[in-house]
Amino acid sequence: MSFNGPQVEKNWDVVVIGAGPAGASAARKAAVGGCRTLILERRRVVGRPVQCAEYVPLAVATKAAPSSWAQSVEGMLTFIEGRLCAENRWPGVVLHRERFDQDLARQAVEAGACLLEGSRVQTLQEGRVTFFREGRPHEVEAPILIGADGPLSRTAMALGLRHRAFLHGFQVRAGLRSPMTHTEVHFWPMFREGYGWVFPKGEWANVGLGVARSQAGRLPGLLGTFLEHLRRRGIIGSELQGRPTGGLVPVGGPHPVTAGGSILLAGDAAGHTDPITGGGIPNAILCGELAGQVASEALGSGDMELLARYEESWRDLLLPSLERALTHRRQACENWMRGSFQDLVRSHWVAFREYFSPGKG
Ligand SMILES: Cc1cc2nc3c(=O)[nH]c(=O)nc-3n(C[C@H](O)[C@H](O)[C@H](O)COP(=O)(O)OP(=O)(O)OC[C@H]3O[C@@H](n4cnc5c(N)ncnc54)[C@H](O)[C@@H]3O)c2cc1C
């Protein structure tokens, strides 16, 4: 999929940093809008390694080919301290995330974008990007840069922005004793400020948990305890596949600005991830598409002032739900070890009506 020529052209209309869901979606929209678009991706192969529990709502799964779907699910079960407390009918898909990301990138390339894998961006200034590829530095220029480079975004840092609140995620692939029709989410006080998940993929499931930074050193032990609990319940057997994987989920909400001069931020780089669920793929795609669209409109009209529309449009669509989630997260973190744990989860988790009650979050 990658462009492998010895020379990298210097001048582009749009340079996108990162080929995750946000970057691929931004590049596709920009290319469809007629922009000469370059995507720089530091990984040698898009989407690899997978650092994700891989669940998306059904509507989001349809953004990529069905070959990237591992399993459909009917809904989500929520357990609090081992007790089933809610069943939500939320049809979704557990993905083959690597294939999903690769299919989104393929769509961008088919729309005309050029993808350079193995290209790590080092420095950015307005209109200019330096990156390393095959051990050599390269420089490209473009009037618009889109930073879609994930939770530790260099593009955001170039704007003086960095995330401060993260959940630390850690998971393993475990063999299921029998097929599952729902995802499972598990709350225990020891999974501090986060939760555990069992997301089925046929005969296997992603079993993992996300916890506060203060507990990150305990993740292997906590995962072991969680696996043992699931074995005792007869959900999983003793078989594990591959090594544990993990990653950071930015849960502090969006940056105060996501459009600075000619630079736009999208996805985890911008803080578009849901602060309560930690799910970020849907918003990454949505905001990536908006960024690419606005970039092509600004270039097409020659009016760079139009870039400000990006900030307005994603805030109109997402800010109320992100702010509600952020308020819930703050309240849940403050009260995690106080009072009834059942009540805490019922007040602050999306599966319960209380989450959406006025005055809550
Ligand atoms: C353990 C875990 C489980 C998760 N589970 C789910 C889930 O089930 N459902 C869900 O919706 N979300 C989940 N998420 C969150 C989800 O993975 C992210 O929100 C989503 O990937 C954001 O997409 P993105 O395109 O913004 O960033 P990413 O997918 O992180 O893509 C960023 C890309 O930029 C590249 N990059 C970074 N720096 C540079 C650089 N300097 N130069 C060039 N390229 C660079 C990276 O290699 C990467 O390919 C999970 C996250 C974790 C850590």
Side-chain angles (χ1 to χ4, degrees), residues 23-200:
S25 306
R28 177 174 53 80
K29 277 285 183 184
V32 165
C35 301
R36 295 183 65 254
T37 304
L38 174 67
I39 318 172
L40 297 172
E41 168 54 53
R42 91 181 151 188
R43 291 172 162 172
R44 292 197 169 279
V45 180
V46 167
R48 198 182 291 168
V50 173
Q51 295 166 297
C52 182
E54 306 182 282
Y55 169 81
V56 287
L58 188 55
V60 176
T62 59
K63 293 279 180 183
S67 57
S68 64
W69 300 16
Q71 180 188 329
S72 301
V73 286
E74 294 168 19
M76 178 181 76
L77 306 179
T78 297
F79 293 80
I80 308 176
E81 295 178 286
R83 217 179 88 208
L84 177 61
C85 293
E87 174 173 348
N88 298 84
R89 211 189 130 60
W90 289 338
V93 171
V94 184
L95 299 167
H96 295 297
R97 174 76 195 265
E98 179 180 333
R99 290 189 209 162
F100 183 79
D101 283 15
Q102 287 174 1
D103 196 62
L104 295 182
R106 179 192 56 77
Q107 292 175 39
V109 170
E110 281 181 9
C114 175
L115 168 65
L116 287 186
E117 291 162 309
S119 302
R120 175 188 290 269
V121 168
Q122 210 67 20
T123 58
L124 296 108
Q125 294 166 325
E126 291 264 314
R128 187 173 306 154
V129 179
T130 314
F131 64 96
F132 272 83
R133 179 174 162 77
E134 291 167 355
R136 287 200 307 129
H138 299 264
E139 191 176 275
V140 287
E141 292 181 4
I144 297 179
L145 308 180
I146 299 179
D149 42 348
L152 301 175
S153 165
R154 256 178 202 272
T155 320
M157 284 178 208
L159 293 174
L161 303 163
R162 86 174 49 218
H163 294 305
R164 305 211 177 272
F166 293 100
L167 271 187
H168 290 240
F170 194 60
Q171 74 171 8
V172 73
R173 186 85 39 92
L176 288 172
R177 296 281 292 274
S178 48
M180 289 170 63
T181 55
H182 289 67
T183 56
E184 289 190 2
V185 165
H186 291 253
F187 288 89
W188 295 90
M190 64 184 164
F191 297 169
R192 185 123 196 177
E193 299 172 15
Y195 62 86
W197 60 79
V198 186
F199 290 179

Side-chain angles (χ1 to χ4, degrees), residues 291-330:
Q293 172 88 33
V294 168
S296 77
E297 285 169 9
L299 283 169
S301 65
D303 180 4
M304 297 300 265
E305 301 285 311
L306 285 185
L307 289 181
R309 278 201 196 154
Y310 170 62
E311 191 97 55
E312 287 161 24
S313 32
W314 80 251
R315 283 180 192 275
D316 279 353
L317 289 169
L318 296 181
L319 202 60
S321 65
L322 288 177
E323 283 187 337
R324 177 169 49 209
L326 196 55
T327 307
H328 277 298
R329 163 152 290 281
R330 288 199 185 112

